[in-house]
């Protein structure tokens, strides 16, 4: 093993390290405004490159811009969509007190995450909740929110839905919220 550094250093390449690829607030704002104006991401990013005087002067890649805009899009439900979902869930709960749901909002009141389980799912959990799988690789809706089903297996070896979530991201805080919601739901079933 050779402990000495065995190749030339390239300080100009440090901007490619993830820890150095940062979008400043004014860049985020510009990306968001340009997107609202209908400017596609490649042109949006190219304008930042020109403004900075070349790729080498930007502390981020186009990927970071795309990731930021994907995150923004996830949090932009259409006007009334969250309200409509909440009204639907309230109706379901009024029709059947066993219907469970919880919603997570941002500081400015935008819907971030949702978890729900209907009566059938709750009853299935009582019978077949020994083993539960969870997978967010299924569907993504038009708001780029991942569908997060909790699935069990019945006595016929068939998959059964035990609860569902729509989540705006796949980060620690989002998963913590979802699993805490799941735990708030499950003791009521076990009890």
């Amino acid at each position: 093993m050779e402990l000495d550094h065995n190749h030339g250093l390239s300080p100009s390449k440090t901007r490619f390290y993830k820890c150095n690829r940062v979008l400043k607030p004014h860049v985020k704002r510009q990306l968001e405004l340009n997107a609202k104006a209908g400017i596609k991401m490649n042109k949006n990013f190219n304008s930042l490159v020109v403004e900075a005087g070349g790729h080498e002067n930007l502390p981020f890649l186009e990927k970071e811009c795309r990731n930021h805009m994907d995150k923004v899009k996830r949090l932009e439900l259409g006007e009334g969509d969250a309200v409509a979902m909440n009204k639907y869930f309230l109706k379901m709960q009024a029709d059947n007190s066993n219907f469970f749901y919880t919603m997570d909002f941002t500081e400015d009141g935008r819907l971030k995450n949702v978890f729900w389980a209907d009566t059938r799912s709750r009853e299935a959990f009582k019978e077949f909740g020994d083993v539960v799988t969870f997978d967010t690789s299924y569907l993504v809706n038009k708001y780029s929110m991942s569908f997060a089903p909790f699935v069990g297996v019945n006595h016929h070896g068939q998959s059964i839905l035990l609860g569902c979530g729509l989540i705006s991201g796949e980060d620690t805080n989002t998963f913590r919220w979802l699993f805490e919601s799941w735990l708030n739901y499950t003791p009521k079933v076990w009890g």
Side-chain angles (χ1 to χ4, degrees), residues 123-142:
E123 290 302 315
F125 182 79
K126 286 179 186 177
E127 295 295 320
F128 309 111
D130 317 8
V131 177
V132 177
T133 63
F134 171 78
D135 187 359
T136 58
S137 65
Y138 284 100
L139 303 172
V140 174
N141 67 6
K142 70 179 182 177

Side-chain angles (χ1 to χ4, degrees), residues 20 22 59 63 73-74 77 85 89 92 111 116 129-130 137 148 152 164 178 185:
N20 294 333
V22 177
K63 179 181 179 183
K73 184 181 172 193
R74 275 185 223 122
L77 287 172
M85 182 183 288
F89 285 161
M92 293 294 291
L111 181 64
W116 72 95
D130 317 8
S137 65
C164 310
L178 185 62
Y185 147 75

Side-chain angles (χ1 to χ4, degrees), residues 11-176:
S12 65
K13 304 251 190 238
T14 60
R15 68 187 182 91
F16 294 117
Y17 296 143
K18 189 169 179 70
C19 63
N20 294 333
R21 297 188 315 226
V22 177
L23 291 177
K24 295 191 175 171
H26 75 277
V27 172
K28 291 178 180 179
R29 181 78 179 134
Q30 185 176 346
L31 288 168
E32 292 167 22
L33 288 173
N34 287 346
K36 282 184 182 175
I39 299 171
K40 301 237 185 254
M41 180 51 71
N42 61 337
K43 292 188 186 229
N44 203 342
F45 180 73
N46 285 339
S47 73
L48 294 170
V49 171
V50 170
E51 186 179 326
H55 288 276
E56 64 279 356
N57 298 325
L58 284 179
F60 51 84
L61 301 171
E62 186 173 348
K63 179 181 179 183
E64 278 72 43
C65 296
R66 288 187 185 280
N67 289 345
H68 171 71
M69 290 311 299
D70 285 347
K71 186 174 184 179
V72 167
K73 184 181 172 193
R74 275 185 223 122
L75 298 176
E76 286 185 353
L77 287 172
E79 193 172 320
D81 288 348
V83 172
M85 182 183 288
N86 192 42
K87 281 182 181 177
Y88 177 76
F89 285 161
L90 286 170
K91 179 193 173 309
M92 293 294 291
Q93 208 167 45
D95 292 347
N96 190 323
S97 61
N98 249 351
F99 183 84
F100 175 86
Y101 80 98
T102 183
M103 301 172 108
D104 182 29
F105 295 90
T106 63
E107 293 80 32
D108 60 347
R110 293 182 181 187
L111 181 64
K112 243 173 41 173
N113 306 302
V114 180
F115 172 79
W116 72 95
D118 63 8
T119 303
R120 187 175 182 183
S121 295
R122 296 185 85 176
E123 290 302 315
F125 182 79
K126 286 179 186 177
E127 295 295 320
F128 309 111
D130 317 8
V131 177
V132 177
T133 63
F134 171 78
D135 187 359
T136 58
S137 65
Y138 284 100
L139 303 172
V140 174
N141 67 6
K142 70 179 182 177
Y143 304 111
S144 297
M145 294 178 83
S146 297
F147 179 63
F150 289 83
V151 178
V153 178
N154 69 15
H155 57 285
H156 297 293
Q158 300 165 325
S159 297
I160 50 171
L161 194 58
L162 303 175
C164 310
L166 283 175
I167 55 175
S168 62
E170 295 188 3
D171 55 83
T172 304
N173 289 334
T174 301
F175 285 127
R176 180 178 291 124

